[in-house]
Amino acid sequence: MVLEVEKVSKQFIHEKQTVDAVRDVSFAIAAGETVGLIGPNGAGKSTLMRMIATLMKPSSGNISVDGYDVVAHPQAAKARMGYVSLDTNLPEQMSGAQLLRYFARIYELDAQVAERRIADWADRLRLHEYMQKPFGQLSTGNKQKISLVRGLLHQPKFLLLDEPSNGLDILALGTLREMLQSLKKDGTAILISSHILQDIQLCDRVLVMHEGALIRNEPLAQISERLVSLEEYYLKAVSVR
C-alpha cells in the first residue's frame, strides 16, 4: 500500500475540554487507486488531510507514505507525496515561475528536467501568460493551477488533493480530470477531499467521515450498482434528510 492510515485520532483542547476531531480512522490506498473523501463541515476531513501531509501530528495511531512514517520520517514521506490545497501559504511576492523553480530545487530536480516539466504543465493548464506575475496578484483559479504544478513536479507516488477543483474554469477542470486519469494509469495513489461530488465520481472508492469518524468505506462501483446517486449515498450516510 502507498498510503496506510492505522487507528489515527486527533484531540484538541477547547475551553478546557477535549474535542475529538478525528476518531480511530483506518484505511489504505494502493498504487493506481483513487479514493474520495467526503463529509459535512466539521467532520474531521481537513484535520485528517493535514496529518497525512505532515502538517499536524496525530494524537495516536500511525500514518505512512510508501513505507515511511509521517511523524518519524516526515522528509522522506514528503519526498514521495504531492500535496495540493487552497491554503498554500506561498510567498505572494514571488512569480509563479520563481515559485516552481524554488520547489524544484527543494525536490532536488535537475534544472533542465524541472524547466521541461514546468513548461509542459504551463502548456496543459494554459498558464504561460501568468507565470511571470506575482503569485499574490493571480486569481484563485490560477493560484490553484500553480499549486497543482508544484505538487506534481517531482512525480510523487502519492497525491493528496484538498478541494482541487476550487476556482478552476471549465477548461482547467477538464484538464484536471484528464490529468488524474493519466496519473492513475501511471500507478499514482490519489486521495481527493472535496465538497464537489463530481470530483468524487472519478474515484474507485468513497470514504465518508462524520463527527470525526470514518463511517463508510465502499467501492464506487458498488454504489452505482445499487442505482444510488453519490448525493443520495452521502446524505443517507450522514443521516441528513
Side-chain angles (χ1 to χ4, degrees):
M1 293 293 176
V2 178
L3 173 71
E4 293 182 273
V5 177
E6 301 177 34
K7 298 184 178 300
V8 167
S9 297
K10 181 66 179 180
Q11 288 86 36
F12 296 102
I13 303 299
H14 179 67
E15 296 180 352
K16 299 183 179 181
Q17 292 188 335
T18 301
V19 177
D20 294 311
V22 175
R23 298 186 288 123
D24 200 31
V25 169
S26 297
F27 65 94
I29 303 178
E33 186 180 23
T34 301
V35 175
L37 176 64
I38 58 177
N41 291 335
K45 302 186 306 300
S46 294
T47 300
L48 177 61
M49 296 286 277
R50 289 176 66 81
M51 288 190 289
I52 295 171
T54 76
L55 300 175
M56 183 184 293
K57 293 182 180 180
S59 301
S60 61
N62 299 288
I63 301 170
S64 64
V65 176
D66 198 29
Y68 290 91
D69 186 279
V70 300
V71 175
H73 305 285
Q75 295 305 319
K78 284 193 286 189
R80 290 155 176 80
M81 179 193 323
Y83 177 50
V84 178
S85 168
L86 273 180
D87 184 18
T88 57
N89 292 319
L90 295 175
E92 297 204 337
Q93 73 277 11
M94 294 176 70
S95 71
Q98 288 172 327
L99 280 169
L100 294 175
R101 289 174 186 136
Y102 168 75
F103 280 100
R105 290 193 294 272
I106 289 177
Y107 297 142
E108 299 182 347
L109 291 179
D110 175 82
Q112 291 184 339
V113 171
E115 288 300 319
R116 283 199 303 270
R117 291 181 186 175
I118 290 169
D120 177 56
W121 282 112
D123 282 339
R124 294 171 69 177
L125 293 172
R126 302 170 182 85
L127 269 173
H128 277 295
E129 64 181 291
Y130 306 105
M131 292 292 280
Q132 303 308 321
K133 293 184 178 180
F135 185 76
Q137 295 180 14
L138 299 179
S139 67
T140 299
N142 285 322
K143 286 181 178 179
Q144 186 74 327
K145 290 178 186 179
I146 287 174
S147 186
L148 279 167
V149 179
R150 179 193 60 148
L152 290 165
L153 269 182
H154 57 309
Q155 297 181 336
K157 291 187 175 182
F158 171 56
L159 188 58
L160 185 62
L161 301 176
D162 194 359
E163 303 291 346
S165 60
N166 244 338
L168 298 185
D169 57 38
I170 293 173
L171 290 174
L173 281 172
T175 300
L176 170 65
R177 286 163 185 155
E178 289 174 6
M179 175 196 77
L180 293 178
Q181 294 288 4
S182 176
L183 290 169
K184 174 182 169 62
K185 289 178 182 177
D186 289 342
T188 306
I190 303 171
L191 177 61
I192 303 173
S193 176
S194 181
H195 287 95
I196 300 173
L197 294 183
Q198 193 174 359
D199 290 344
I200 307 301
Q201 295 285 1
L202 301 170
C203 299
D204 302 299
R205 191 153 43 93
V206 179
L207 310 177
V208 182
M209 286 190 71
H210 188 55
E211 296 181 349
L214 185 63
I215 61 171
R216 293 285 190 280
N217 182 349
E218 188 171 1
L220 184 60
Q222 289 184 11
I223 300 170
S224 301
E225 284 173 3
R226 296 200 300 270
L227 301 178
V228 176
S229 73
L230 194 52
E231 183 177 7
E232 289 172 323
Y233 176 79
Y234 167 67
L235 291 175
K236 184 176 181 181
V238 299
S239 300
V240 181
R241 269 192 165 170

